[in-house]
Short mmCIF file of all heavy atoms in Angstrom, two decimals:
data_model
loop_
_atom_site.label_atom_id
_atom_site.label_comp_id
_atom_site.label_asym_id
_atom_site.label_seq_id
_atom_site.Cartn_x
_atom_site.Cartn_y
_atom_site.Cartn_z
N CYS A 596 -11.08 0.58 4.77
CA CYS A 596 -10.08 -0.02 5.65
C CYS A 596 -9.45 -1.20 4.91
O CYS A 596 -9.75 -1.44 3.74
CB CYS A 596 -10.75 -0.48 6.94
SG CYS A 596 -11.52 0.85 7.90
N ALA A 597 -8.58 -1.93 5.57
CA ALA A 597 -7.91 -3.06 4.91
C ALA A 597 -8.93 -3.98 4.25
O ALA A 597 -9.82 -4.51 4.92
CB ALA A 597 -7.11 -3.84 5.95
N PRO A 598 -8.84 -4.20 2.95
CA PRO A 598 -9.83 -5.06 2.28
C PRO A 598 -9.52 -6.54 2.47
O PRO A 598 -8.42 -6.91 2.92
CB PRO A 598 -9.68 -4.65 0.81
CG PRO A 598 -8.28 -4.19 0.68
CD PRO A 598 -7.92 -3.56 2.01
N PRO A 599 -10.47 -7.41 2.13
CA PRO A 599 -10.18 -8.84 2.13
C PRO A 599 -9.04 -9.17 1.18
O PRO A 599 -8.70 -8.39 0.28
CB PRO A 599 -11.51 -9.47 1.67
CG PRO A 599 -12.55 -8.45 1.98
CD PRO A 599 -11.87 -7.12 1.79
N HIS A 600 -8.46 -10.34 1.37
CA HIS A 600 -7.33 -10.76 0.54
C HIS A 600 -7.71 -10.79 -0.95
O HIS A 600 -8.83 -11.15 -1.32
CB HIS A 600 -6.83 -12.13 0.98
CG HIS A 600 -6.25 -12.12 2.35
ND1 HIS A 600 -5.05 -11.50 2.65
CD2 HIS A 600 -6.72 -12.60 3.53
CE1 HIS A 600 -4.80 -11.62 3.94
NE2 HIS A 600 -5.79 -12.28 4.50
N ASP A 601 -6.77 -10.36 -1.76
CA ASP A 601 -6.88 -10.34 -3.23
C ASP A 601 -7.90 -9.32 -3.74
O ASP A 601 -8.29 -9.38 -4.91
CB ASP A 601 -7.24 -11.73 -3.78
CG ASP A 601 -6.13 -12.74 -3.55
OD1 ASP A 601 -4.96 -12.35 -3.55
OD2 ASP A 601 -6.46 -13.94 -3.36
N CYS A 602 -8.29 -8.37 -2.90
CA CYS A 602 -9.33 -7.42 -3.31
C CYS A 602 -8.84 -5.97 -3.36
O CYS A 602 -9.65 -5.07 -3.64
CB CYS A 602 -10.53 -7.51 -2.37
SG CYS A 602 -11.41 -9.08 -2.46
N ALA A 603 -7.57 -5.72 -3.10
CA ALA A 603 -7.06 -4.34 -3.08
C ALA A 603 -6.75 -3.90 -4.51
O ALA A 603 -5.61 -3.91 -4.96
CB ALA A 603 -5.81 -4.26 -2.20
N ARG A 604 -7.80 -3.49 -5.22
CA ARG A 604 -7.67 -3.21 -6.64
C ARG A 604 -7.67 -1.72 -6.99
O ARG A 604 -7.41 -1.36 -8.13
CB ARG A 604 -8.80 -3.90 -7.41
CG ARG A 604 -8.74 -5.42 -7.32
CD ARG A 604 -10.07 -6.04 -7.73
NE ARG A 604 -10.37 -5.80 -9.13
CZ ARG A 604 -10.27 -6.70 -10.11
NH1 ARG A 604 -9.86 -7.92 -9.83
NH2 ARG A 604 -10.58 -6.40 -11.34
N TYR A 605 -7.96 -0.86 -6.04
CA TYR A 605 -8.00 0.57 -6.35
C TYR A 605 -6.86 1.29 -5.64
O TYR A 605 -6.80 1.33 -4.42
CB TYR A 605 -9.33 1.20 -5.95
CG TYR A 605 -9.42 2.64 -6.42
CD1 TYR A 605 -9.49 2.93 -7.79
CD2 TYR A 605 -9.40 3.70 -5.53
CE1 TYR A 605 -9.54 4.25 -8.24
CE2 TYR A 605 -9.46 5.01 -5.97
CZ TYR A 605 -9.52 5.28 -7.32
OH TYR A 605 -9.56 6.58 -7.77
N TRP A 606 -5.95 1.85 -6.43
CA TRP A 606 -4.74 2.50 -5.91
C TRP A 606 -4.86 4.01 -5.85
O TRP A 606 -3.95 4.69 -5.38
CB TRP A 606 -3.55 2.18 -6.81
CG TRP A 606 -3.15 0.77 -6.99
CD1 TRP A 606 -3.89 -0.36 -6.79
CD2 TRP A 606 -1.87 0.31 -7.44
NE1 TRP A 606 -3.17 -1.47 -7.07
CE2 TRP A 606 -1.91 -1.09 -7.48
CE3 TRP A 606 -0.70 0.96 -7.81
CZ2 TRP A 606 -0.83 -1.87 -7.89
CZ3 TRP A 606 0.39 0.20 -8.22
CH2 TRP A 606 0.32 -1.20 -8.24
N GLY A 607 -5.95 4.58 -6.35
CA GLY A 607 -6.00 6.00 -6.64
C GLY A 607 -5.74 6.92 -5.47
O GLY A 607 -5.20 8.02 -5.65
N TYR A 608 -6.10 6.50 -4.26
CA TYR A 608 -5.90 7.39 -3.11
C TYR A 608 -4.44 7.49 -2.68
O TYR A 608 -4.09 8.38 -1.90
CB TYR A 608 -6.79 6.95 -1.94
CG TYR A 608 -8.23 7.36 -2.12
CD1 TYR A 608 -9.17 6.46 -2.62
CD2 TYR A 608 -8.65 8.65 -1.84
CE1 TYR A 608 -10.49 6.84 -2.82
CE2 TYR A 608 -9.97 9.04 -2.03
CZ TYR A 608 -10.89 8.14 -2.51
OH TYR A 608 -12.19 8.53 -2.71
N THR A 609 -3.60 6.60 -3.18
CA THR A 609 -2.17 6.71 -2.90
C THR A 609 -1.36 7.03 -4.15
O THR A 609 -0.50 7.90 -4.14
CB THR A 609 -1.63 5.42 -2.25
OG1 THR A 609 -2.08 4.27 -3.00
CG2 THR A 609 -2.09 5.31 -0.80
N SER A 610 -1.66 6.36 -5.27
CA SER A 610 -0.85 6.56 -6.49
C SER A 610 -0.96 7.99 -7.02
O SER A 610 -0.06 8.48 -7.70
CB SER A 610 -1.26 5.57 -7.57
OG SER A 610 -2.60 5.80 -7.99
N GLN A 611 -2.05 8.66 -6.70
CA GLN A 611 -2.22 10.06 -7.09
C GLN A 611 -1.02 10.90 -6.69
O GLN A 611 -0.50 11.72 -7.44
CB GLN A 611 -3.50 10.61 -6.42
CG GLN A 611 -3.73 12.10 -6.61
CD GLN A 611 -4.23 12.44 -8.00
OE1 GLN A 611 -4.75 11.58 -8.71
NE2 GLN A 611 -4.10 13.69 -8.38
#
Side-chain angles (χ1 to χ4, degrees):
C596 299
H600 295 290
D601 294 329
C602 294
R604 296 163 65 105
Y605 187 67
W606 299 21
Y608 282 98
T609 48
S610 64
Q611 174 76 20

